[in-house]
Amino acid sequence: MQLNKISNLFGGRVGVTACLLALAVAPIANAAYPERPITIIVPWAAGGGTDATARIIAHGLQQELGQPVNVVNRAGGSGVVGHTAMMQAQPDGYTVGYATGEVNMMHWLGLTKLTYKDFTPIAQMNFDPSSIQVSADAPYKNINDLISEIKEKPAGTFKASGTGLGGSWHILFYGLLLDQGIDPKKVSWIPSDGAAPAMRDLVAGGIQIAPCSIPEARAMIQAGKAKSLGVVSAERNLAFPDVPTYKEATGSDYSLNEWRGVVGPKEMPEEARSTLEAALEKVYNSSEYKDFMKKQGYGMKWRGSEDFGQFMADSDAEFGEIMKKVGLAKD
């Protein structure tokens, strides 16, 4: 249609302008999510389990959605910095986060008022039990040897690290000490920005114990600089079949897992949430994701948006009870 015909139809220049604006805006209004790159915030340092699993998820999402998916590490404050950045992001679906179990702990510690209620749950993708690492030249052959030494030595002899104060690996390890009748205060906890820096500190001699998931310790174990004394789970890790379980060593059924899942800010658009949930389920069921997780030894657990939200609520209460028992809860 020629411009003068458009002018006649719409009454001169004003009509032409309005028509052209309408034509320009229409494709934007009808654009389907996502139409630009997506960012995933990781609340821990690069090189740890959260970072590694987030990156394989980002790669899968990029293939499913046809848009770049970038991972940004926002470590610090025992997880507060990154989780706060997730919460404060624009609720448009273009900035989401890879939340961890610390969501259910930070507010109990009094570090933040942020809780699981401040997020839109999208999908849980991973869970991992803790394992107990020591330096390769440490004299302990199993968890029992270490437990006996902790009981015998004065308080402060041992230092441990694997996450921030009150983080998943901290609470799990202190729960293990309680399970063995040991006052958790006998072992000093050194806060870190995740398992990767903690493992480096273990090898350097700054700490003696590194509770974290065994895949996070893989590099140092394979380099012959560290060894795992056991997995705090009822079953051995299939990627590390020679590492015994805590139950095998002690007969105890005690276990507590770290969880990780994708969340968005509150009031996230339903189109974005449902699109991401569907894409994440495809990623979770892909052979690429399964092969990576199995090879590296990471645990797999799928929970869709509704189930994930309920799980976070239940975990919040569970972690809160443990933190009260070890004297860390401020709420």
Side-chain angles (χ1 to χ4, degrees):
M1 183 180 292
Q2 296 178 353
L3 189 59
N4 62 344
K5 291 184 179 180
I6 296 177
S7 177
N8 291 334
L9 285 172
F10 290 91
R13 291 183 179 179
V14 173
V16 171
T17 302
C19 179
L20 292 176
L21 284 172
L23 291 172
V25 170
I28 297 175
N30 295 328
Y33 171 88
E35 58 176 331
R36 63 177 192 269
I38 295 170
T39 295
I40 299 178
I41 295 173
V42 171
W44 299 102
T50 306
D51 178 70
T53 52
R55 290 182 186 279
I56 189 66
I57 289 168
H59 178 69
L61 272 181
Q62 186 165 303
Q63 292 180 318
E64 292 294 332
L65 298 176
Q67 291 287 350
V69 180
N70 306 305
V71 172
V72 175
N73 297 87
R74 294 291 301 276
S78 297
V80 173
V81 172
H83 286 98
T84 300
M86 300 175 203
M87 178 189 70
Q88 294 178 341
Q90 287 293 323
D92 55 11
Y94 289 98
T95 299
V96 296
Y98 196 44
T100 65
E102 280 70 20
V103 164
N104 296 138
M105 302 174 185
M106 297 180 295
H107 69 97
W108 290 108
L109 287 165
L111 297 176
T112 177
K113 294 184 181 297
L114 180 154
T115 74
Y116 68 92
K117 297 178 183 178
D118 293 306
F119 299 101
T120 297
I122 301 174
Q124 182 184 349
M125 302 287 287
N126 160 250
F127 86 97
D128 284 307
S130 178
S131 58
I132 307 301
Q133 279 66 236
V134 295
S135 64
D137 58 359
Y140 321 113
K141 296 180 179 179
N142 52 52
I143 291 180
N144 276 334
D145 289 348
L146 177 63
I147 290 171
S148 297
E149 193 81 352
I150 293 173
K151 287 180 177 179
E152 292 175 7
K153 297 292 185 180
T157 300
F158 291 91
K159 296 181 178 67
S161 185
T163 185
L165 184 69
S168 295
W169 303 138
H170 181 195
I171 299 307
L172 189 145
F173 182 63
Y174 271 25
L176 182 152
L177 295 177
L178 284 174
D179 183 62
Q180 292 298 313
I182 301 172
D183 182 351
K185 294 178 182 178
K186 285 202 73 175
V187 179
S188 301
W189 188 265
I190 309 301
S192 72
D193 285 332
M199 287 301 300
R200 290 194 292 269
D201 201 13
L202 176 73
V203 171
I207 60 174
Q208 292 75 46
I209 308 168
C212 61
S213 73
I214 194 167
E216 292 174 309
R218 171 192 289 272
M220 293 300 186
I221 293 173
Q222 291 181 336
K225 297 179 179 180
K227 61 183 177 183
S228 182
L229 298 181
V231 182
V232 188
S233 172
E235 299 178 353
R236 294 192 180 199
N237 189 308
L238 295 178
F240 301 87
D242 295 332
V243 178
T245 68
Y246 177 65
K247 185 172 183 177
E248 289 176 54
T250 67
S252 172
D253 289 321
Y254 172 77
S255 67
L256 189 64
N257 299 320
E258 166 72 298
W259 60 260
R260 301 179 178 104
V262 180
V263 302
K266 284 185 69 173
E267 300 180 358
M268 186 174 168
E270 174 58 23
E271 179 191 9
R273 185 209 61 75
S274 60
T275 298
L276 284 171
E277 181 181 2
L280 285 166
E281 187 168 14
K282 290 181 179 179
V283 172
Y284 181 87
N285 290 318
S286 69
S287 57
E288 184 176 12
Y289 182 71
K290 290 179 178 179
D291 290 346
F292 173 84
M293 299 296 276
K294 182 178 179 180
K295 181 179 179 180
Q296 299 299 320
Y298 291 110
M300 292 182 61
K301 180 64 182 181
W302 169 262
R303 284 188 173 96
S305 179
E306 185 175 349
D307 289 344
F308 185 29
Q310 184 60 55
F311 170 75
M312 284 197 288
D314 294 341
S315 293
D316 192 86
E318 181 182 9
F319 281 122
E321 286 302 311
I322 294 174
M323 294 177 79
K324 289 175 184 176
K325 290 180 181 177
V326 299
L328 288 173
K330 298 292 193 296
D331 288 5

